[in-house]
Amino acid sequence: MLFHSSLRKELSRSFGATLVVLVTIVMTMMLIRTLGLASKGSVNPSEVFLVMAYTVLGYMPTILSLSLFIAIVGTLSRMYRDSEMVIWFSSGRGLADFVEPLFRFAWPVLVLIAVMALLGWPWANSQTIGMRAQYEGRSDIERVTPGEFRESSGRMRVFFIDKDTPDGATATNVFIWAVERGLQITTSARSGRIENVGNNRFLMLSNGQRLERPLLPTTGLKISEFETYGTRAGGTSDFSADNTPARAKPTLQLLREPGDASHGELAWRIGMLLAAINFVLLALTVSSVNPRVGRSGNLLFALFAFVVYYNMLNLGQSWISSGRFSMGSFMLLLHGGVLLIGVAWLLLRNNNWGRRRRTEHVMAGGLPPSPPSKIDPTS
């Protein structure tokens, strides 16, 4: 049908262009953010682009929903502005007749949003958190760059080495400043190497000196020399299956685990799909524009509605996780309420209830009597 095909073709072009623009913007923002994390030592500099890709992949449900919403609003607003909607309405098409072609166009996007929210979001988060935990859990000697002072993972020690080997396991001219048990400890050695003892990693120093001084201004200074001395070099990580955040857990695991945190994350993931469905109806209702005014105000209102709805999703996740609301009641209140508003608004505009009421008033004689015609006195 010409009506369906022409509408879906224009929607496809608008959706593709919007998606490319939004992905480019998000990638640029995530690249700047990831570079900042890498400069602080939270992300491996060699994995910046990989972390950025995982982060953008996690935000794809939001990007797809916004792209779909903007594409529908932009396309229908243009049809109103160019009077194409008047032609369709004159041919017997009502506003409700646009629901079928819009959902026939949107259903692949809705399926993709569901897949990305239920599967892609937790997988991308788990990959990002795992990479950051692995980088944070590397040994302290691996953090050190020859010729530079570097802090340890616990921020309680400072390392300096002169040279290291290509494998990063041994170093020469090692200097360590640490705060332990109320003491300032300064350790220097000619060489050091990494050894694994059980699940821990130790830095074994050779031919060095150790200086201990109390933090408080009291007397007492201890100097000792050693041939071999071992100190823990980190290499452990607090990231495990027990303390994995809810956003990195698979959806099936959240369904099996009762708890407010799991319910809050589930409400957000399922809510992204329900919100995308509601966005299709909202875009249809808010897309009307007055050709004499322009469509900038209409687009601003549509974007404001999207921002409010999306922030309510995030706020609802926080409320459910804290136990203030149950998952079912909040989702029914938010998504069900928006659905009712969208359907009622659509029926109101489709039936033109306000215009029909004025028409019935006119047919009942509600118009004021017309003024009497003037009579020419010369006739």
Side-chain angles (χ1 to χ4, degrees):
M1 184 182 294
L2 178 62
F3 173 68
H4 289 193
S5 61
S6 60
L7 182 61
R8 291 199 302 269
K9 185 180 298 184
E10 185 169 357
L11 285 172
S12 300
R13 291 195 297 265
S14 179
F15 175 78
T18 306
L19 182 61
V20 170
V21 172
L22 290 180
V23 170
T24 303
I25 294 175
V26 173
M27 289 183 64
T28 304
M29 296 174 59
M30 291 300 104
L31 178 61
I32 297 174
R33 177 185 175 186
T34 309
L35 289 175
L37 293 175
S39 64
K40 296 178 181 179
S42 301
V43 175
N44 191 347
S46 62
E47 299 175 345
V48 167
F49 288 98
L50 190 58
V51 173
M52 180 197 67
Y54 285 137
T55 306
V56 174
L57 184 64
Y59 282 105
M60 283 306 295
T62 306
I63 297 175
L64 291 171
S65 299
L66 182 57
S67 300
L68 181 63
F69 187 63
I70 293 178
I72 296 176
V73 173
T75 299
L76 297 182
S77 298
R78 187 207 61 78
M79 295 177 67
Y80 274 105
R81 188 185 69 251
D82 296 342
S83 301
E84 291 185 16
M85 298 295 286
V86 177
I87 299 175
W88 289 116
F89 292 157
S90 301
S91 63
R93 293 288 177 180
L95 193 62
D97 294 325
F98 283 81
V99 175
E100 181 183 356
L102 287 181
F103 275 101
R104 290 185 63 180
F105 164 77
W107 76 263
V109 183
L110 296 177
V111 172
L112 185 58
I113 291 174
V115 172
M116 296 303 300
L118 298 178
L119 301 178
W121 166 258
W123 181 79
N125 285 328
S126 64
Q127 296 296 318
T128 303
I129 294 175
M131 292 170 59
R132 294 183 63 175
Q134 183 179 4
Y135 186 67
E136 286 288 339
R138 69 198 189 278
S139 65
D140 292 332
I141 197 65
E142 291 172 345
R143 296 172 180 266
V144 180
T145 302
E148 297 182 5
F149 288 90
R150 289 295 178 92
E151 289 183 333
S152 65
S153 57
R155 311 289 183 183
M156 299 300 294
R157 291 188 290 182
V158 177
F159 286 80
F160 177 87
I161 63 174
D162 188 12
K163 296 180 181 180
D164 62 352
T165 57
D167 58 1
T170 60
T172 59
N173 297 330
V174 180
F175 170 84
I176 304 175
W177 180 89
V179 176
E180 297 178 3
R181 303 183 303 276
L183 299 174
Q184 289 185 0
I185 303 175
T186 304
T187 307
S188 60
R190 292 183 178 273
S191 63
R193 67 184 184 278
I194 292 293
E195 290 187 4
N196 296 322
V197 180
N199 295 328
N200 298 320
R201 307 187 72 182
F202 287 85
L203 174 62
M204 306 303 295
L205 303 177
S206 302
N207 300 325
Q209 188 180 58
R210 181 180 174 90
L211 173 65
E212 297 181 0
R213 184 175 59 183
L215 290 175
L216 298 178
T218 58
T219 60
L221 184 64
K222 181 180 179 180
I223 301 177
S224 58
E225 296 183 354
F226 57 85
E227 293 184 359
T228 303
Y229 177 78
T231 179
R232 188 170 178 177
T236 59
S237 176
D238 295 332
F239 181 77
S240 62
D242 296 333
N243 56 11
T244 302
R247 69 178 186 273
K249 294 181 179 180
T251 304
L252 293 178
Q253 183 178 353
L254 293 178
L255 292 173
R256 292 192 298 264
E257 294 181 357
D260 293 334
S262 299
H263 290 167
E265 181 65 22
L266 280 174
W268 187 89
R269 297 181 189 181
I270 300 175
M272 286 302 301
L273 174 60
L274 299 178
I277 296 174
N278 287 335
F279 282 142
V280 176
L281 292 177
L282 289 177
L284 179 59
T285 55
V286 304
S287 59
S288 62
V289 61
N290 188 350
R292 298 180 180 179
V293 177
R295 59 175 181 174
S296 58
N298 191 56
L299 288 176
L300 289 177
F301 177 76
L303 291 177
F304 176 76
F306 180 88
V307 171
V308 171
Y309 199 168
Y310 183 74
N311 286 334
M312 287 301 299
L313 278 175
N314 295 329
L315 187 61
Q317 180 184 7
S318 176
W319 285 345
I320 296 173
S321 300
S322 61
R324 297 178 59 182
F325 283 90
S326 63
M327 175 181 171
S329 61
F330 178 82
M331 294 183 66
L332 181 62
L333 181 63
L334 177 62
H335 304 292
V338 174
L339 179 62
L340 289 178
I341 293 175
V343 172
W345 196 355
L346 177 62
L347 292 177
L348 179 64
R349 294 195 52 210
N350 181 72
N351 296 326
N352 291 324
W353 287 350
R355 185 178 302 175
R356 178 177 298 179
R357 184 174 300 177
R358 291 194 299 268
T359 303
E360 292 176 354
H361 180 70
V362 172
M363 295 179 63
L367 284 179
S370 59
S373 58
K374 295 182 180 181
I375 303 177
D376 190 359
T378 60
S379 59

